[in-house]
Amino acid sequence: MNLVFLGPPGAGKGTQAKRLAQELGLKHISTGDILREAVKNETPLGKKAKEYMDRGELVPDELIIALIEEVMPPGGGVIFDGFPRTIAQAEALDNMLKRKGLNLDKVILFDVDDEVVVDRLSGRRVCPSCGAVYHLKFNPPKNDEVCDRCSVKLIQREDDREEVVRNRLEVYRKQTAPLIEYYERKGILIRLDASKEIEEVYQELKKVVAT
Ligand SMILES: Nc1ncnc2c1ncn2[C@@H]1O[C@H](COP(=O)(O)OP(=O)(O)O)[C@@H](O)[C@H]1O
């Protein structure tokens, strides 16, 4: 099964993708996580991507498409989280899947309002070691700002600062939201109310993926 998780930043895609991927034995492909790791390690990809990411802009399509080609397992079985983000990327994904004899089963749209997004992103903290995602209020670690698994101090992402968040929302509206119609036309879009609690969203997600 191949799934795409679509929705604005802060909608909860990563939180849900990590759990669902584990439960269903799928590979979680988060282009955001891969890019942030590349930036941290100062790889050639990271060096090219950094300036765009710091401004809350999208990394150029060619770079992202090449990256996806590299990490896609030959037999499929993935959750794409944060990809595709433009129509060009969606078309590239269609072509790649076709070439490999695979197809996209469902696109889950994580539906939330801007206010919710701003609230969630300002409280988001991540583990720099394992990538676990927390929220100071909605999904707090057991000990003060320290990862439950790694005991490492959690950090706030550069692009979760408020002015960058606003730019990311604008970019989402202009460049990514058109994908809603793109996938609706293909008849594979499913809307999920992502404004509920994490557990409730997860139960609903499992239901829509299974049917
Ligand atoms: N249903 C939810 N209710 C409250 N907070 C949530 C919910 N889902 C995720 N969060 C928190 O909101 C922030 C953004 O979630 P994340 O999964 O990183 O979003 P995305 O991957 O869509 O950018 C995180 O801090 C996460 O812990």
Side-chain angles (χ1 to χ4, degrees):
M1 178 160 53
N2 300 299
L3 303 171
V4 163
F5 283 10
L6 183 65
K13 303 182 297 294
T15 301
Q16 302 291 342
K18 284 194 176 84
R19 192 164 160 192
L20 191 70
Q22 197 166 28
E23 187 166 337
L24 301 184
L26 299 172
K27 178 171 178 173
H28 174 208
I29 298 181
S30 161
T31 42
D33 286 353
I34 298 171
L35 289 168
R36 280 185 291 277
E37 190 63 23
V39 169
K40 197 171 87 186
N41 296 328
E42 298 182 0
T43 66
L45 170 69
K47 283 183 189 152
K48 285 185 209 146
K50 186 175 186 328
E51 51 173 319
Y52 300 98
M53 293 171 75
D54 284 348
R55 290 196 298 260
E57 287 170 16
L58 296 184
V59 172
D61 287 336
E62 317 81 71
L63 285 182
I64 300 294
I65 292 162
L67 171 72
I68 292 289
E69 294 270 359
E70 211 180 289
V71 297
M72 180 74 192
V78 298
I79 300 178
F80 292 108
D81 163 14
F83 169 86
R85 266 190 161 84
T86 62
I87 297 280
Q89 290 178 16
E91 287 169 353
L93 175 62
D94 286 344
N95 290 335
M96 181 185 74
L97 291 173
K98 204 165 163 196
R99 241 188 299 122
K100 295 181 189 289
L102 303 170
N103 68 323
L104 191 56
D105 296 281
K106 284 172 183 143
V107 175
I108 316 289
L109 174 64
F110 284 65
D111 226 351
V112 276
D113 293 338
D114 284 7
E115 294 93 287
V116 175
V117 163
V118 173
D119 232 35
R120 286 187 187 172
L121 293 182
S122 59
R124 173 157 71 182
R125 296 293 182 274
V126 295
C127 172
S129 176
C130 75
V133 179
Y134 299 89
H135 191 284
L136 295 182
K137 200 158 70 193
F138 307 128
N139 183 26
K142 292 194 183 73
N143 295 309
D144 220 23
E145 303 219 18
V146 165
C147 181
D148 291 346
R149 267 188 284 169
C150 314
S151 302
V152 169
K153 178 123 179 58
L154 302 177
I155 55 167
Q156 180 171 40
R157 277 170 44 178
E158 260 311 291
D159 58 355
D160 280 348
R161 286 175 299 121
E162 193 171 332
E163 55 307 353
V164 185
V165 167
R166 294 202 186 282
N167 192 33
R168 288 166 69 201
L169 279 172
E170 195 53 34
V171 168
Y172 173 78
R173 220 167 281 126
K174 283 204 187 113
Q175 305 197 55
T176 309
L179 292 180
I180 298 171
E181 206 189 313
Y182 180 89
Y183 287 123
E184 226 161 22
R185 280 214 198 111
K186 290 183 184 282
I188 53 173
L189 188 92
I190 298 169
R191 279 171 203 271
L192 190 69
D193 178 358
S195 64
K196 299 193 184 129
E197 280 176 28
I198 293 175
E199 187 59 35
E200 237 178 306
V201 174
Y202 187 65
Q203 294 310 326
E204 193 57 36
L205 173 64
K206 276 210 299 191
K207 231 186 276 166
V208 299
V209 165
T211 49

